[in-house]
């Protein structure tokens, strides 16, 4: 009998040990900044996906105003805009780094031929696009075999598209159909397709928005079927459906602010959860992350709620690779806030914060 009891206890103990919490890995977080304060460029932190803690801050590269970052799919190269008007005589710059043994090795920098570049993205076939905000244009570079930036970019000029409004290209992102560019100043998304080595206006060359909307950033849902655009100036999210061949029709517009909010607020960033069930957007002024659920059939949005960012002026935000945490770069309060994300409800719970001078872009390796 004693032997039987001991055997049963051993089995229970073994089962209990097998049920211990999953040991999640550590991740590298890149932080892009403005350098008109104490920041000197691009930093990294170690993010613990078990606890949600950031630690081990390192200055990886001294560079002026690396306000937006992009990482190659093979994680061998990192790219950063230099959001200035005086990188050279034509405007700002973009810089390529090689990632080697956890360090950033400078490869080269190129002028973007437009002032204040604010977004950079990569294509699957070796191209790099930069949106120049004040320059009102987009620079499309070819990449060399080692990931460095080629010379003589194609310049897509939006200044010539409207004689009344002032172009402010804010995001240029490659997709399955070519290149999509939000233009905050023109209240439009401009679409381009690639013919030979040149991008030209697509069949549906422009997606219109109401005057004063200010489309800023966007993301795709349902395998590219849906397009979600966050509008900086009127604090809304526009939902489009891809009806055929990359041509879109608008199906919904939702406000991002609480109906009782008073004062100025400007939207910034937008992201879907990894499972596509929830959409998040940042409000600078209301200082919140707004949360929507995504209808699995229609792709339309329904408000879940909003969460204070525990800081001022939430710029870019990012979910960690596990999808269980959301981190916010609060530009004016000089801190990065960490939230636990309920993957079933979409809600956020504040965990902690870390001080950092003028953070504006968060990118996980």
């Amino acid at each position: 009998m004693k032997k039987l009891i001991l055997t049963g206890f051993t089995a229970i103990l073994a089962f209990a040990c097998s049920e211990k919490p999953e040991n999640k890995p550590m991740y590298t977080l890149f932080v892009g900044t403005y350098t008109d304060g104490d920041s000197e460029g691009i930093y990294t932190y170690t993010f613990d996906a078990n606890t949600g803690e950031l630690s081990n801050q390192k200055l990886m590269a001294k560079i002026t105003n690396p306000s937006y970052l992009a990482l190659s799919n093979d994680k061998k190269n990192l790219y950063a805009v230099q959001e200035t008007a005086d990188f050279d005589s034509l405007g700002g710059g973009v810089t390529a780094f090689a990632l080697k043994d956890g360090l950033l090795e400078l490869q080269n920098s190129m002028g973007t031929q437009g002032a204040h570049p604010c977004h950079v993205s990569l294509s699957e076939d070796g191209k790099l696009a930069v949106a120049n905000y004040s320059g009102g244009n987009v620079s499309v570079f070819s990449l060399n075999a080692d990931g460095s930036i080629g010379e003589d970019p194609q310049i897509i000029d939006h200044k010539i598209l409207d004689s009344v409004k002032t172009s402010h290209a804010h995001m240029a992102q490659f997709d399955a159909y070519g290149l999509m560019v939000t233009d905050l100043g023109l209240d439009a998304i401009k679409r381009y397709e690639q013919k030979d080595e040149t991008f030209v206006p697509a069949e549906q060359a422009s997606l219109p928005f109401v005057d004063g909307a200010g489309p800023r950033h966007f993301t795709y849902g349902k395998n590219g079927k849906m397009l979600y655009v966050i509008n900086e100036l009127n604090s809304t999210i526009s939902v489009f459906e891809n009806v055929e061949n990359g041509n879109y029709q608008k199906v919904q517009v939702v406000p991002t602010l609480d109906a009782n909010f008073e004062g100025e607020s400007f939207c910034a960033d937008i992201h879907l959860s990894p499972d596509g069930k929830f959409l998040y957007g940042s409000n600078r002024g209301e200082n919140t992350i707004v949360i929507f659920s995504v209808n699995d059939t229609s792709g339309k949005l329904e408000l879940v709620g909003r969460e204070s960012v525990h800081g001022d002026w939430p710029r870019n935000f990012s979910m960690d690779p596990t999808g269980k945490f959301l981190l916010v770069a609060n530009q004016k309060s000089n801190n990065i806030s960490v939230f636990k994300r309920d993957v079933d409800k979409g809600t956020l719970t504040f965990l902690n914060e870390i001080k950092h001078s003028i953070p504006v872009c968060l990118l996980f390796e």
Side-chain angles (χ1 to χ4, degrees), residues 234-245:
N234 71 357
S235 298
T236 62
I237 293 175
S238 299
V239 182
F240 293 84
E241 183 178 7
N242 183 343
V243 289
E244 61 175 349
N245 300 324

Side-chain angles (χ1 to χ4, degrees), residues 34 51 55 74 82 98 122 150 199 201 224 235 244 258 305 307 309 316:
Y34 284 130
T51 65
S55 62
D74 60 11
Q82 295 191 44
L122 305 168
F199 286 90
S235 298
E244 61 175 349
D258 187 284
E307 181 69 28
V309 296
N316 180 234

Side-chain angles (χ1 to χ4, degrees), residues 37-238:
D38 293 332
S39 174
E40 296 182 85
I42 302 171
Y43 293 79
T44 59
Y45 286 90
T46 299
F47 181 73
D48 188 336
N50 294 289
T51 65
E53 296 286 338
L54 288 167
S55 62
N56 195 30
Q57 183 199 88
K58 293 181 181 177
L59 174 61
M60 298 294 286
K62 290 187 177 183
I63 180 176
T64 303
N65 288 350
S67 64
Y68 205 88
L69 311 173
L71 187 65
S72 62
N73 285 338
D74 60 11
K75 299 184 179 180
K76 292 182 178 180
N77 299 90
L78 181 80
Y79 301 89
V81 300
Q82 295 191 44
E83 190 177 336
T84 70
D86 57 2
F87 173 84
D88 58 19
S89 62
L90 298 176
V94 61
T95 299
F97 298 92
L99 266 170
K100 292 184 179 180
D101 300 322
L103 300 175
L104 289 182
E105 181 181 287
L106 177 64
Q107 291 181 290
N108 68 338
S109 298
M110 290 289 174
T112 61
Q113 300 187 35
H116 301 111
C118 59
H119 187 274
V120 57
S121 71
L122 305 168
S123 73
E124 296 289 342
D125 62 347
K127 288 185 171 55
L128 178 147
V130 180
N132 297 304
Y133 181 83
S134 299
N137 60 14
V138 176
S139 316
V140 182
F141 294 85
S142 293
L143 296 176
N144 300 317
D146 64 354
S148 60
I149 305 168
E151 299 180 350
D152 301 321
Q154 177 189 355
I155 304 299
I156 302 173
D157 190 3
H158 281 190
K159 296 187 298 295
I160 63 175
L161 300 180
D162 197 303
S163 60
V164 177
K165 295 182 176 181
T166 301
S167 169
H168 291 303
H170 215 307
M171 177 178 180
Q173 182 74 45
F174 297 99
D175 62 14
Y177 303 98
L179 183 66
M180 296 259 284
V181 181
T182 53
D183 197 305
L184 181 146
L186 300 186
D187 292 312
I189 286 182
K190 300 300 182 181
R191 298 185 58 242
Y192 299 93
E193 61 183 5
Q194 188 173 350
K195 290 191 175 179
D196 298 323
E197 292 299 311
T198 303
F199 286 90
V200 299
E203 175 186 348
Q204 184 188 30
S206 185
L207 277 64
F209 294 74
V210 298
D211 286 347
R216 179 184 172 100
H217 278 200
F218 59 86
T219 189
Y220 299 100
K222 293 178 70 70
N223 297 316
K225 181 68 173 176
M226 307 303 296
L227 173 69
Y228 301 96
V229 186
I230 197 160
N231 301 306
E232 176 177 333
L233 301 183
N234 71 357
S235 298
T236 62
I237 293 175
S238 299

